[in-house]
Amino acid sequence: MRLVNLSDPGSPKPDERTGNITRWFSAFGRKLKGIKFLDIARAGIVAWAAYFFTSRFIANILLQVHGVSVTYTAFYWLVDGFLLAITLLYAWKPRKLIAQVAMIGVFSYTGYAMTRLFIDQILVLHPAAAVVHGILVGFMALNLGYILGQVFKYLFSPSFRQKLSSLRTDQVISTSIIGAMVIGFLVTWIFFGVANAFPVYFIAFIVVSFVVVITLLSLKHRSKAYKIITAGTIVWLALTCWSYFGFSTPHVIEDPNQAEFSYAFWGSPSGGLYYYHNNDYNETWYGTPELDAELTMFSNLNATFYNTINIDRLGNASTEYYNNLTNIELTLEEWESYGLNFIFDITPLNNETGEPRGDYVSYYYLEQMNDTINVLMDWLEPLNLTNFRGISFDVEGPKYGDNQPISEAQYRRALVSYGGILSEFKSRFPDSSIHLIQMEGILFDFFDGDHDLDIGQRTVSTELEWDWYGFMTYHVNPSPSASSYRYAYYMDVGIEQFGMQFQPWVGWWYDADSIDQPGVYDQSLEHVKIAKSRGVREVVLAPVRNFIGQDHNHTKIMARLGDLLDIKNGFETFTIPIHHDMRLLQDWDLYWEKIVPNYLITNNNVLKDLLIGTPGGWFAWIQLAVVSGPVVILLWIYDRKHA
């Protein structure tokens, strides 16, 4: 078909141009009739690979653009790059046995990863993406079934039996070594429990191991393809193992010695929130020399204490000590004398379970939240306490009941409602501040320019205006899944978005004695130092009852608060490794138990943010392009070959 020049009198007329286009499509249609089913499947494989790996590569790129070290993301680049290379090899040579066997492993992993993304957030907020995702999972499952059929058909063929009967000694030895390694891995995996806990993994691993060993037996060991595959795999394994430990690159942590640095704590000093801790109002820990010394130490830390409050406690006229506001006022006045600040965390009551239960903040309970803040303001305003720092929202989504569905409309209503009551609070308490306490995953809810992770979590947070943006970056663990570099890059992402309004949290110590487990206390202090090294103004430790202990051990309390004071005054420079799984070095049993495919994702929150996406957003267009692009290109190549 030639181009038409409308200014040329000899150019074809409109009817003739239409005829040319019609004839071209007609001719192309006849060519398409000759396309083999295998060619269509190959184009589909390339489109599927583009869909699956693009989101993962973009997640890596986004993290690197936002400051994450390439020595951390390199591990994921190598893993995904290797899987993509196998996929393209299969699309190029779909009849090659080695490519088919390799794709069994690729499809086993990617199938697990893709089915984990059938979550409420995607189904509700981006149903079109969920449909596409489901179609591609089905396509992958069909291909996996086809490949397994081809492999097992070969295993029972006369040609395979003939190859087995003519094996050379070197083939038997090399294959036996590889088989022993595979069996050793399998036995270790079973011994440490993961295969027993998840039988489907065990079955899948048996199948994959069997076909890999059989395939190695059937290859010609001196063939060019075998040498290339072997050399490439060895190089890839070496690089991947090296990148697993960050290419041996340490991350330096230095104290910036910022002028303003303080601590906040979830909870109260060992004296508690209630001045008297019995209904006869004659027992208190306040006023003792030990508690006076403790409060003085907290004062040296410029400490603030978060405590929850709800409409029931504010409006209950009960004489029980924990519902007596005067009993709380005495404590707040005691703290004021030491210069210790307090924040009240506003929580709703959930009535769905038949009795009121304290819940987390979501975009439901709007009227109750507003009422609670109004009653709180009416209570505190006449007290004129100079140490009232402000209020906070512990934004985690509803904990109880099933009547709080994901709803963007409800999110919008909550924006207006919470925005109004927070503005009223600021007008009545202009010297106080409002504090966000949010799940750490929402730190990554900005890569695609919307708030879909927030909406999917049934919360309202970063779109509101806060004085402090706190995130529960709880990475302390008796057996951490990664080195503290992971905590460091979470700090960097938070500061990039919120600057010095970012407020990291350290903890959570679930049991009273968990902080006393080997390495946990030192790890907690290391996270405080990492947060301080980023220049933040304040770090929150939660919960304080487990940090200082619940046994009123004065010596331990003073020692631990002293450690925090030493960090506040300055700490020495140190380095942390960039490891992807510290359990490999510190908890061998748990390392083997936790070998599951979802560990091979750079950051689940970034990936989820991209895949939930806003319909019509930039990532949706990229998905459309990467899925349709390979098909269009292959059709163009086919047309050129058959011109």
Side-chain angles (χ1 to χ4, degrees), residues 208-278:
V208 172
S209 303
F210 177 71
V211 295
V212 167
V213 172
I214 294 300
T215 304
L216 289 170
L217 280 170
S218 67
L219 286 172
K220 294 180 180 179
H221 281 217
R222 294 189 178 89
S223 68
K224 184 178 180 181
Y226 183 86
K227 292 176 181 178
I228 292 174
I229 291 170
T230 302
T233 302
I234 291 173
V235 171
W236 173 79
L237 283 172
L239 285 173
T240 305
C241 292
W242 190 17
S243 69
Y244 194 73
F245 295 97
F247 290 112
S248 304
T249 303
H251 186 71
V252 179
I253 303 297
E254 295 181 285
D255 191 339
N257 294 308
Q258 57 265 59
E260 180 185 352
F261 183 75
S262 59
Y263 293 97
F265 300 87
W266 181 263
S268 303
S270 61
L273 178 62
Y274 314 103
Y275 193 83
Y276 296 104
H277 55 265
N278 67 327

Side-chain angles (χ1 to χ4, degrees), residues 68-76 482 485-486 489 578-580 602:
V68 178
S69 172
V70 68
T71 57
Y72 183 83
T73 60
F75 171 73
Y76 304 101
Y485 176 74
R486 185 169 177 268
Y489 91 70
I578 303 178
H579 286 179
H580 287 278
T602 319

Side-chain angles (χ1 to χ4, degrees), residues 444-588:
F444 302 92
D445 192 19
F446 73 99
F447 287 116
D448 60 352
D450 55 30
H451 297 274
D452 43 23
L453 288 184
D454 221 355
I455 297 171
Q457 188 180 266
R458 295 172 290 178
T459 56
V460 177
S461 62
T462 55
E463 196 168 352
L464 291 167
E465 292 289 333
W466 304 88
D467 295 309
W468 293 80
Y469 293 82
F471 288 85
M472 291 175 278
T473 46
Y474 298 142
H475 292 203
V476 175
N477 193 304
S479 184
S481 62
S483 72
S484 292
Y485 176 74
R486 185 169 177 268
Y487 188 80
Y489 91 70
Y490 272 60
M491 299 298 100
D492 294 337
V493 171
I495 289 170
E496 180 189 358
Q497 290 185 76
F498 308 110
M500 291 302 101
Q501 292 175 282
F502 174 62
Q503 185 184 50
W505 288 50
V506 173
W508 176 274
W509 306 282
Y510 288 94
D511 301 314
D513 60 348
S514 64
I515 198 169
D516 296 317
Q517 296 181 38
V520 172
Y521 182 69
D522 291 339
Q523 187 186 150
S524 303
L525 296 183
E526 182 174 86
H527 288 184
V528 173
K529 293 175 183 177
I530 291 171
K532 185 173 187 280
S533 75
R534 268 43 188 181
V536 300
R537 294 183 292 159
E538 186 171 68
V539 173
V540 185
L541 290 91
V544 65
R545 65 179 181 274
N546 290 344
F547 180 77
I548 63 176
Q550 300 181 37
D551 53 359
H552 292 269
N553 184 324
H554 180 67
T555 302
K556 179 173 68 175
I557 292 172
M558 296 302 288
R560 291 186 173 175
L561 296 181
D563 289 338
L564 294 181
L565 184 60
D566 289 341
I567 295 174
K568 180 178 182 293
N569 292 333
F571 62 84
E572 294 183 1
T573 299
F574 64 98
T575 61
I576 54 176
I578 303 178
H579 286 179
H580 287 278
D581 202 327
M582 296 296 288
R583 292 165 182 153
L584 177 66
L585 304 175
Q586 299 174 355
D587 195 335
W588 187 246

